[in-house]
Amino acid sequence: MAKRQFIDVEFDFSIWGINSSVEDYRLCLYLNQSLKWNLKRVHDVEFYSSQIKGFKHFNAYMYKNDADFYTLELIQNKNSGNILIPELKNFDFLFLLHGEDEYFEKEAFSNLLTKIPGVQSAIQLNIESLKSKHNLLIRHFNEHNKKKN
């Protein structure tokens, strides 16, 4: 009998869905300019899909603020007809906030995001209500395995 190993995962981040008609790199530029961040491209979120018999890739950007102990991620939710979180198919991007979130008044932050050029709407979401939330962790597991090899 095969042994199964279960991994208990805690989703300790806040998430926003963003609608935008601009490309991911342009949205990052606008966020960096408007909010004085330094979002940079990191490894894509990628995973094998048996439906398409290939890998799905989604661009990702990250900014780590060591002074205030938080990390921001911007991830494509749609790329080449594929959707990272299917139940959020109406959103173009996902914005994740990891770490100390006491610096962010979340409702005010949603309003601030909508004032960024190219952003039509930004809505805070409940991560626990998402069925496909594990797709957001794929990149972190892939990066860990790449460092080992």
Short mmCIF file of all heavy atoms in Angstrom, two decimals, residues 62-120:
data_model
loop_
_atom_site.label_atom_id
_atom_site.label_comp_id
_atom_site.label_asym_id
_atom_site.label_seq_id
_atom_site.Cartn_x
_atom_site.Cartn_y
_atom_site.Cartn_z
N MET A 62 7.08 40.58 -7.40
CA MET A 62 7.16 40.62 -5.95
C MET A 62 7.92 41.86 -5.48
O MET A 62 8.86 42.31 -6.13
CB MET A 62 7.87 39.37 -5.43
CG MET A 62 7.93 39.27 -3.91
SD MET A 62 8.83 37.81 -3.35
CE MET A 62 7.67 36.54 -3.79
N TYR A 63 7.50 42.37 -4.34
CA TYR A 63 8.19 43.45 -3.64
C TYR A 63 8.26 43.08 -2.17
O TYR A 63 7.24 42.81 -1.55
CB TYR A 63 7.46 44.79 -3.81
CG TYR A 63 7.93 45.88 -2.88
CD1 TYR A 63 9.24 46.33 -2.92
CD2 TYR A 63 7.06 46.45 -1.96
CE1 TYR A 63 9.66 47.33 -2.06
CE2 TYR A 63 7.47 47.45 -1.11
CZ TYR A 63 8.77 47.89 -1.16
OH TYR A 63 9.20 48.88 -0.32
N LYS A 64 9.45 43.04 -1.63
CA LYS A 64 9.64 42.68 -0.23
C LYS A 64 10.09 43.92 0.53
O LYS A 64 11.10 44.53 0.21
CB LYS A 64 10.70 41.58 -0.11
CG LYS A 64 10.80 40.98 1.25
CD LYS A 64 11.70 39.77 1.23
CE LYS A 64 11.62 39.07 2.57
NZ LYS A 64 12.39 37.85 2.58
N ASN A 65 9.31 44.31 1.54
CA ASN A 65 9.63 45.44 2.38
C ASN A 65 10.19 44.90 3.69
O ASN A 65 9.43 44.49 4.56
CB ASN A 65 8.38 46.30 2.61
CG ASN A 65 8.69 47.55 3.39
OD1 ASN A 65 9.52 47.56 4.28
ND2 ASN A 65 8.00 48.63 3.04
N ASP A 66 11.51 44.89 3.80
CA ASP A 66 12.16 44.35 4.99
C ASP A 66 11.97 45.24 6.21
O ASP A 66 11.94 44.75 7.34
CB ASP A 66 13.65 44.13 4.73
CG ASP A 66 13.91 43.02 3.72
OD1 ASP A 66 13.15 42.03 3.76
OD2 ASP A 66 14.84 43.15 2.91
N ALA A 67 11.84 46.53 6.00
CA ALA A 67 11.68 47.46 7.13
C ALA A 67 10.35 47.25 7.85
O ALA A 67 10.29 47.31 9.08
CB ALA A 67 11.79 48.91 6.64
N ASP A 68 9.29 47.00 7.10
CA ASP A 68 7.96 46.85 7.70
C ASP A 68 7.47 45.40 7.72
O ASP A 68 6.32 45.14 8.07
CB ASP A 68 6.95 47.73 6.96
CG ASP A 68 7.24 49.21 7.17
OD1 ASP A 68 7.74 49.58 8.25
OD2 ASP A 68 6.96 50.00 6.25
N PHE A 69 8.32 44.47 7.30
CA PHE A 69 8.04 43.03 7.39
C PHE A 69 6.81 42.58 6.62
O PHE A 69 5.96 41.86 7.14
CB PHE A 69 7.93 42.59 8.85
CG PHE A 69 9.10 42.97 9.68
CD1 PHE A 69 8.99 43.98 10.62
CD2 PHE A 69 10.31 42.34 9.53
CE1 PHE A 69 10.08 44.36 11.39
CE2 PHE A 69 11.41 42.70 10.29
CZ PHE A 69 11.29 43.72 11.22
N TYR A 70 6.70 43.00 5.37
CA TYR A 70 5.62 42.48 4.53
C TYR A 70 6.14 42.28 3.12
O TYR A 70 7.15 42.85 2.71
CB TYR A 70 4.38 43.38 4.54
CG TYR A 70 4.56 44.75 3.94
CD1 TYR A 70 4.45 44.95 2.57
CD2 TYR A 70 4.82 45.85 4.73
CE1 TYR A 70 4.61 46.21 2.01
CE2 TYR A 70 4.97 47.11 4.19
CZ TYR A 70 4.86 47.29 2.83
OH TYR A 70 5.02 48.52 2.28
N THR A 71 5.45 41.41 2.39
CA THR A 71 5.78 41.11 1.00
C THR A 71 4.51 41.24 0.17
O THR A 71 3.44 40.80 0.59
CB THR A 71 6.33 39.67 0.87
OG1 THR A 71 7.48 39.55 1.70
CG2 THR A 71 6.70 39.36 -0.56
N LEU A 72 4.66 41.85 -1.00
CA LEU A 72 3.55 42.03 -1.92
C LEU A 72 3.80 41.21 -3.17
O LEU A 72 4.94 41.14 -3.64
CB LEU A 72 3.42 43.50 -2.32
CG LEU A 72 3.28 44.50 -1.18
CD1 LEU A 72 3.41 45.92 -1.71
CD2 LEU A 72 1.97 44.31 -0.48
N GLU A 73 2.76 40.59 -3.69
CA GLU A 73 2.87 39.84 -4.94
C GLU A 73 1.74 40.23 -5.87
O GLU A 73 0.60 40.38 -5.44
CB GLU A 73 2.77 38.33 -4.68
CG GLU A 73 3.94 37.73 -3.98
CD GLU A 73 3.79 36.23 -3.88
OE1 GLU A 73 4.23 35.52 -4.80
OE2 GLU A 73 3.22 35.78 -2.87
N LEU A 74 2.07 40.38 -7.13
CA LEU A 74 1.09 40.58 -8.18
C LEU A 74 1.22 39.41 -9.14
O LEU A 74 2.31 39.14 -9.65
CB LEU A 74 1.32 41.90 -8.92
CG LEU A 74 0.31 42.21 -10.02
CD1 LEU A 74 -1.02 42.59 -9.39
CD2 LEU A 74 0.81 43.33 -10.91
N ILE A 75 0.12 38.67 -9.34
CA ILE A 75 0.16 37.46 -10.17
C ILE A 75 -0.94 37.55 -11.21
O ILE A 75 -2.08 37.92 -10.89
CB ILE A 75 -0.05 36.20 -9.29
CG1 ILE A 75 1.00 36.13 -8.18
CG2 ILE A 75 -0.04 34.95 -10.14
CD1 ILE A 75 0.75 35.06 -7.16
N GLN A 76 -0.59 37.19 -12.44
CA GLN A 76 -1.60 37.11 -13.49
C GLN A 76 -2.61 36.03 -13.12
O GLN A 76 -2.23 34.95 -12.69
CB GLN A 76 -0.97 36.67 -14.82
CG GLN A 76 -0.35 37.72 -15.64
CD GLN A 76 0.16 37.11 -16.96
OE1 GLN A 76 0.66 36.00 -16.99
NE2 GLN A 76 0.01 37.87 -18.02
N ASN A 77 -3.87 36.32 -13.32
CA ASN A 77 -4.89 35.29 -13.13
C ASN A 77 -5.29 34.69 -14.47
O ASN A 77 -5.80 33.59 -14.53
CB ASN A 77 -6.12 35.86 -12.42
CG ASN A 77 -7.06 34.78 -11.96
OD1 ASN A 77 -6.65 33.73 -11.48
ND2 ASN A 77 -8.35 35.02 -12.13
N LYS A 78 -5.02 35.43 -15.55
CA LYS A 78 -5.36 34.96 -16.90
C LYS A 78 -4.12 35.08 -17.78
O LYS A 78 -3.45 36.10 -17.79
CB LYS A 78 -6.45 35.83 -17.52
CG LYS A 78 -7.76 35.80 -16.78
CD LYS A 78 -8.74 36.74 -17.44
CE LYS A 78 -10.04 36.81 -16.70
NZ LYS A 78 -10.97 37.76 -17.32
N ASN A 79 -3.84 34.00 -18.53
CA ASN A 79 -2.72 34.02 -19.46
C ASN A 79 -2.98 33.00 -20.56
O ASN A 79 -3.15 31.82 -20.28
CB ASN A 79 -1.40 33.71 -18.75
CG ASN A 79 -0.20 33.97 -19.63
OD1 ASN A 79 -0.31 34.53 -20.71
ND2 ASN A 79 0.95 33.56 -19.15
N SER A 80 -3.03 33.46 -21.78
CA SER A 80 -3.21 32.60 -22.96
C SER A 80 -4.43 31.69 -22.84
O SER A 80 -4.38 30.51 -23.17
CB SER A 80 -1.96 31.75 -23.19
OG SER A 80 -0.84 32.56 -23.35
N GLY A 81 -5.52 32.24 -22.32
CA GLY A 81 -6.75 31.46 -22.20
C GLY A 81 -6.82 30.58 -20.97
O GLY A 81 -7.83 29.95 -20.72
N ASN A 82 -5.75 30.51 -20.18
CA ASN A 82 -5.74 29.74 -18.95
C ASN A 82 -6.06 30.65 -17.77
O ASN A 82 -5.74 31.83 -17.79
CB ASN A 82 -4.37 29.09 -18.73
CG ASN A 82 -4.03 28.11 -19.81
OD1 ASN A 82 -4.85 27.28 -20.18
ND2 ASN A 82 -2.83 28.21 -20.35
N ILE A 83 -6.66 30.07 -16.74
CA ILE A 83 -7.02 30.83 -15.55
C ILE A 83 -6.42 30.15 -14.34
O ILE A 83 -6.60 28.95 -14.13
CB ILE A 83 -8.55 30.96 -15.41
CG1 ILE A 83 -9.12 31.66 -16.65
CG2 ILE A 83 -8.93 31.72 -14.16
CD1 ILE A 83 -10.62 31.71 -16.70
N LEU A 84 -5.70 30.92 -13.52
CA LEU A 84 -5.04 30.37 -12.33
C LEU A 84 -6.06 29.95 -11.27
O LEU A 84 -6.01 28.84 -10.75
CB LEU A 84 -4.07 31.41 -11.75
CG LEU A 84 -3.32 31.02 -10.50
CD1 LEU A 84 -2.42 29.82 -10.76
CD2 LEU A 84 -2.49 32.19 -10.00
N ILE A 85 -6.99 30.83 -10.94
CA ILE A 85 -8.04 30.53 -9.97
C ILE A 85 -9.37 30.60 -10.71
O ILE A 85 -9.93 31.68 -10.90
CB ILE A 85 -8.03 31.55 -8.80
CG1 ILE A 85 -6.65 31.65 -8.16
CG2 ILE A 85 -9.10 31.20 -7.77
CD1 ILE A 85 -6.20 30.42 -7.40
N PRO A 86 -9.88 29.46 -11.19
CA PRO A 86 -11.07 29.46 -12.03
C PRO A 86 -12.30 30.16 -11.44
O PRO A 86 -13.06 30.79 -12.17
CB PRO A 86 -11.36 27.97 -12.25
CG PRO A 86 -10.05 27.30 -12.04
CD PRO A 86 -9.33 28.12 -11.00
N GLU A 87 -12.48 30.08 -10.13
CA GLU A 87 -13.64 30.74 -9.55
C GLU A 87 -13.51 32.26 -9.53
O GLU A 87 -14.46 32.97 -9.22
CB GLU A 87 -13.97 30.20 -8.15
CG GLU A 87 -12.87 30.24 -7.15
CD GLU A 87 -12.01 28.98 -7.14
OE1 GLU A 87 -11.84 28.34 -8.17
OE2 GLU A 87 -11.48 28.66 -6.07
N LEU A 88 -12.32 32.78 -9.89
CA LEU A 88 -12.10 34.23 -9.99
C LEU A 88 -11.84 34.63 -11.44
O LEU A 88 -11.04 35.52 -11.71
CB LEU A 88 -10.91 34.64 -9.11
CG LEU A 88 -11.07 34.39 -7.62
CD1 LEU A 88 -9.79 34.77 -6.88
CD2 LEU A 88 -12.26 35.13 -7.06
N LYS A 89 -12.52 33.97 -12.37
CA LYS A 89 -12.27 34.21 -13.79
C LYS A 89 -12.57 35.63 -14.23
O LYS A 89 -12.13 36.06 -15.29
CB LYS A 89 -13.04 33.22 -14.65
CG LYS A 89 -14.54 33.33 -14.54
CD LYS A 89 -15.22 32.27 -15.34
CE LYS A 89 -16.72 32.32 -15.09
NZ LYS A 89 -17.40 31.18 -15.62
N ASN A 90 -13.30 36.40 -13.42
CA ASN A 90 -13.60 37.79 -13.77
C ASN A 90 -12.46 38.75 -13.44
O ASN A 90 -12.50 39.90 -13.84
CB ASN A 90 -14.87 38.26 -13.05
CG ASN A 90 -16.08 37.49 -13.53
OD1 ASN A 90 -16.14 37.03 -14.66
ND2 ASN A 90 -17.04 37.30 -12.64
N PHE A 91 -11.45 38.28 -12.71
CA PHE A 91 -10.32 39.13 -12.34
C PHE A 91 -9.11 38.83 -13.22
O PHE A 91 -8.80 37.68 -13.49
CB PHE A 91 -9.93 38.93 -10.87
CG PHE A 91 -10.98 39.42 -9.92
CD1 PHE A 91 -11.76 38.53 -9.21
CD2 PHE A 91 -11.20 40.78 -9.75
CE1 PHE A 91 -12.73 38.98 -8.33
CE2 PHE A 91 -12.17 41.24 -8.88
CZ PHE A 91 -12.94 40.33 -8.17
N ASP A 92 -8.42 39.89 -13.63
CA ASP A 92 -7.24 39.75 -14.47
C ASP A 92 -5.98 39.46 -13.66
O ASP A 92 -5.08 38.76 -14.12
CB ASP A 92 -7.02 41.04 -15.28
CG ASP A 92 -8.21 41.36 -16.16
OD1 ASP A 92 -8.61 40.48 -16.94
OD2 ASP A 92 -8.75 42.48 -16.06
N PHE A 93 -5.91 40.01 -12.46
CA PHE A 93 -4.73 39.86 -11.60
C PHE A 93 -5.14 39.56 -10.18
O PHE A 93 -6.24 39.90 -9.74
CB PHE A 93 -3.89 41.15 -11.60
CG PHE A 93 -3.36 41.52 -12.94
CD1 PHE A 93 -4.03 42.42 -13.74
CD2 PHE A 93 -2.18 40.96 -13.42
CE1 PHE A 93 -3.55 42.77 -14.99
CE2 PHE A 93 -1.70 41.29 -14.67
CZ PHE A 93 -2.39 42.20 -15.46
N LEU A 94 -4.21 38.95 -9.45
CA LEU A 94 -4.39 38.71 -8.03
C LEU A 94 -3.27 39.44 -7.30
O LEU A 94 -2.12 39.41 -7.72
CB LEU A 94 -4.33 37.21 -7.72
CG LEU A 94 -5.36 36.37 -8.46
CD1 LEU A 94 -5.09 34.90 -8.24
CD2 LEU A 94 -6.75 36.75 -8.03
N PHE A 95 -3.63 40.12 -6.24
CA PHE A 95 -2.67 40.88 -5.45
C PHE A 95 -2.65 40.27 -4.06
O PHE A 95 -3.69 40.17 -3.40
CB PHE A 95 -3.11 42.35 -5.40
CG PHE A 95 -2.13 43.23 -4.71
CD1 PHE A 95 -1.06 43.76 -5.41
CD2 PHE A 95 -2.26 43.52 -3.37
CE1 PHE A 95 -0.14 44.56 -4.77
CE2 PHE A 95 -1.35 44.33 -2.73
CZ PHE A 95 -0.29 44.85 -3.43
N LEU A 96 -1.47 39.81 -3.62
CA LEU A 96 -1.33 39.14 -2.33
C LEU A 96 -0.47 39.96 -1.39
O LEU A 96 0.55 40.52 -1.81
CB LEU A 96 -0.67 37.77 -2.51
CG LEU A 96 -1.52 36.62 -3.04
CD1 LEU A 96 -2.04 36.89 -4.43
CD2 LEU A 96 -0.74 35.34 -3.03
N LEU A 97 -0.88 40.01 -0.14
CA LEU A 97 -0.14 40.70 0.92
C LEU A 97 0.21 39.68 1.99
O LEU A 97 -0.67 39.10 2.62
CB LEU A 97 -0.99 41.82 1.51
CG LEU A 97 -0.51 42.46 2.81
CD1 LEU A 97 0.83 43.16 2.60
CD2 LEU A 97 -1.54 43.43 3.35
N HIS A 98 1.51 39.42 2.15
CA HIS A 98 2.02 38.48 3.15
C HIS A 98 2.67 39.27 4.29
O HIS A 98 3.27 40.30 4.04
CB HIS A 98 3.11 37.58 2.57
CG HIS A 98 2.70 36.78 1.40
ND1 HIS A 98 2.22 35.50 1.49
CD2 HIS A 98 2.71 37.06 0.08
CE1 HIS A 98 1.95 35.03 0.30
NE2 HIS A 98 2.24 35.97 -0.58
N GLY A 99 2.59 38.75 5.48
CA GLY A 99 3.33 39.34 6.59
C GLY A 99 2.51 40.32 7.40
O GLY A 99 1.30 40.19 7.53
N GLU A 100 3.20 41.32 7.94
CA GLU A 100 2.57 42.32 8.80
C GLU A 100 1.60 43.17 7.99
O GLU A 100 2.00 43.98 7.18
CB GLU A 100 3.64 43.22 9.44
CG GLU A 100 4.57 42.49 10.37
CD GLU A 100 3.87 41.98 11.62
OE1 GLU A 100 2.94 42.64 12.12
OE2 GLU A 100 4.25 40.89 12.07
N ASP A 101 0.32 42.97 8.23
CA ASP A 101 -0.67 43.72 7.47
C ASP A 101 -1.29 44.86 8.27
O ASP A 101 -2.21 45.52 7.82
CB ASP A 101 -1.76 42.80 6.93
CG ASP A 101 -2.51 42.08 8.02
OD1 ASP A 101 -2.17 42.25 9.21
OD2 ASP A 101 -3.45 41.34 7.69
N GLU A 102 -0.74 45.13 9.45
CA GLU A 102 -1.28 46.21 10.27
C GLU A 102 -0.99 47.58 9.65
O GLU A 102 -1.61 48.57 10.03
CB GLU A 102 -0.73 46.14 11.69
CG GLU A 102 0.77 46.28 11.74
CD GLU A 102 1.35 45.83 13.07
OE1 GLU A 102 0.88 44.81 13.60
OE2 GLU A 102 2.28 46.48 13.55
N TYR A 103 -0.08 47.64 8.69
CA TYR A 103 0.23 48.90 8.01
C TYR A 103 -0.80 49.23 6.94
O TYR A 103 -0.77 50.30 6.37
CB TYR A 103 1.62 48.84 7.36
CG TYR A 103 2.72 48.58 8.37
CD1 TYR A 103 3.28 47.31 8.49
CD2 TYR A 103 3.16 49.58 9.21
CE1 TYR A 103 4.28 47.07 9.42
CE2 TYR A 103 4.15 49.35 10.14
CZ TYR A 103 4.70 48.09 10.24
OH TYR A 103 5.67 47.84 11.16
N PHE A 104 -1.67 48.27 6.65
CA PHE A 104 -2.64 48.43 5.58
C PHE A 104 -4.05 48.47 6.14
O PHE A 104 -4.51 47.50 6.73
CB PHE A 104 -2.54 47.28 4.58
CG PHE A 104 -1.31 47.30 3.76
CD1 PHE A 104 -0.15 46.70 4.20
CD2 PHE A 104 -1.30 47.92 2.53
CE1 PHE A 104 0.99 46.71 3.45
CE2 PHE A 104 -0.16 47.93 1.76
CZ PHE A 104 1.00 47.32 2.23
N GLU A 105 -4.71 49.58 5.98
CA GLU A 105 -6.15 49.66 6.23
C GLU A 105 -6.76 49.07 4.97
O GLU A 105 -6.72 49.68 3.90
CB GLU A 105 -6.58 51.10 6.46
CG GLU A 105 -8.07 51.33 6.48
CD GLU A 105 -8.83 50.45 7.45
OE1 GLU A 105 -8.39 50.32 8.61
OE2 GLU A 105 -9.84 49.89 7.03
N LYS A 106 -7.30 47.86 5.05
CA LYS A 106 -7.63 47.08 3.85
C LYS A 106 -8.68 47.73 2.96
O LYS A 106 -8.56 47.70 1.75
CB LYS A 106 -8.02 45.67 4.26
CG LYS A 106 -6.80 44.95 4.82
CD LYS A 106 -7.08 43.56 5.24
CE LYS A 106 -5.76 42.97 5.70
NZ LYS A 106 -5.88 41.95 6.65
N GLU A 107 -9.69 48.33 3.55
CA GLU A 107 -10.72 48.98 2.71
C GLU A 107 -10.14 50.22 2.03
O GLU A 107 -10.38 50.46 0.85
CB GLU A 107 -11.94 49.35 3.53
CG GLU A 107 -13.09 49.80 2.67
CD GLU A 107 -14.37 49.93 3.46
OE1 GLU A 107 -14.65 49.06 4.29
OE2 GLU A 107 -15.08 50.91 3.22
N ALA A 108 -9.35 50.98 2.77
CA ALA A 108 -8.71 52.16 2.18
C ALA A 108 -7.71 51.73 1.10
O ALA A 108 -7.55 52.41 0.09
CB ALA A 108 -8.01 52.97 3.27
N PHE A 109 -7.05 50.59 1.33
CA PHE A 109 -6.10 50.09 0.34
C PHE A 109 -6.81 49.70 -0.95
O PHE A 109 -6.31 49.96 -2.04
CB PHE A 109 -5.32 48.90 0.92
CG PHE A 109 -4.23 48.42 0.03
CD1 PHE A 109 -3.15 49.22 -0.27
CD2 PHE A 109 -4.28 47.14 -0.50
CE1 PHE A 109 -2.14 48.77 -1.10
CE2 PHE A 109 -3.28 46.69 -1.33
CZ PHE A 109 -2.20 47.50 -1.62
N SER A 110 -7.99 49.09 -0.85
CA SER A 110 -8.77 48.75 -2.04
C SER A 110 -9.11 50.01 -2.83
O SER A 110 -8.99 50.03 -4.06
CB SER A 110 -10.06 48.02 -1.66
OG SER A 110 -9.78 46.80 -1.05
N ASN A 111 -9.50 51.06 -2.13
CA ASN A 111 -9.80 52.34 -2.79
C ASN A 111 -8.56 52.95 -3.41
O ASN A 111 -8.62 53.52 -4.51
CB ASN A 111 -10.44 53.32 -1.81
CG ASN A 111 -11.81 52.88 -1.37
OD1 ASN A 111 -12.51 52.18 -2.09
ND2 ASN A 111 -12.19 53.26 -0.16
N LEU A 112 -7.42 52.82 -2.73
CA LEU A 112 -6.16 53.35 -3.26
C LEU A 112 -5.77 52.63 -4.55
O LEU A 112 -5.34 53.26 -5.52
CB LEU A 112 -5.05 53.19 -2.21
CG LEU A 112 -3.66 53.64 -2.60
CD1 LEU A 112 -3.63 55.15 -2.85
CD2 LEU A 112 -2.66 53.26 -1.54
N LEU A 113 -5.95 51.32 -4.58
CA LEU A 113 -5.62 50.55 -5.78
C LEU A 113 -6.45 51.00 -6.98
O LEU A 113 -5.95 51.04 -8.10
CB LEU A 113 -5.82 49.05 -5.54
CG LEU A 113 -4.75 48.32 -4.74
CD1 LEU A 113 -5.17 46.89 -4.48
CD2 LEU A 113 -3.41 48.36 -5.44
N THR A 114 -7.70 51.35 -6.76
CA THR A 114 -8.56 51.75 -7.88
C THR A 114 -8.16 53.10 -8.46
O THR A 114 -8.57 53.44 -9.56
CB THR A 114 -10.04 51.81 -7.47
OG1 THR A 114 -10.20 52.74 -6.41
CG2 THR A 114 -10.54 50.44 -7.07
N LYS A 115 -7.33 53.85 -7.74
CA LYS A 115 -6.86 55.16 -8.24
C LYS A 115 -5.59 55.03 -9.08
O LYS A 115 -5.15 56.00 -9.67
CB LYS A 115 -6.64 56.11 -7.07
CG LYS A 115 -7.95 56.46 -6.39
CD LYS A 115 -7.75 57.38 -5.23
CE LYS A 115 -9.13 57.69 -4.67
NZ LYS A 115 -9.16 57.92 -3.28
N ILE A 116 -5.03 53.83 -9.14
CA ILE A 116 -3.83 53.58 -9.94
C ILE A 116 -4.24 53.55 -11.41
O ILE A 116 -5.24 52.93 -11.77
CB ILE A 116 -3.18 52.23 -9.54
CG1 ILE A 116 -2.86 52.19 -8.06
CG2 ILE A 116 -1.94 51.94 -10.38
CD1 ILE A 116 -1.88 53.20 -7.57
N PRO A 117 -3.48 54.22 -12.29
CA PRO A 117 -3.81 54.16 -13.72
C PRO A 117 -3.87 52.71 -14.21
O PRO A 117 -3.04 51.89 -13.85
CB PRO A 117 -2.64 54.89 -14.39
CG PRO A 117 -2.07 55.76 -13.32
CD PRO A 117 -2.29 55.03 -12.03
N GLY A 118 -4.88 52.40 -14.99
CA GLY A 118 -5.03 51.06 -15.54
C GLY A 118 -5.85 50.11 -14.70
O GLY A 118 -6.23 49.04 -15.15
N VAL A 119 -6.13 50.46 -13.45
CA VAL A 119 -6.92 49.59 -12.57
C VAL A 119 -8.37 50.05 -12.61
O VAL A 119 -8.69 51.18 -12.27
CB VAL A 119 -6.40 49.62 -11.11
CG1 VAL A 119 -7.29 48.81 -10.19
CG2 VAL A 119 -4.97 49.10 -11.05
N GLN A 120 -9.25 49.16 -13.04
CA GLN A 120 -10.67 49.48 -13.07
C GLN A 120 -11.34 49.18 -11.73
O GLN A 120 -12.21 49.92 -11.29
CB GLN A 120 -11.39 48.72 -14.19
CG GLN A 120 -11.15 49.31 -15.54
CD GLN A 120 -10.40 48.35 -16.45
OE1 GLN A 120 -10.24 47.18 -16.15
NE2 GLN A 120 -9.92 48.87 -17.55
#
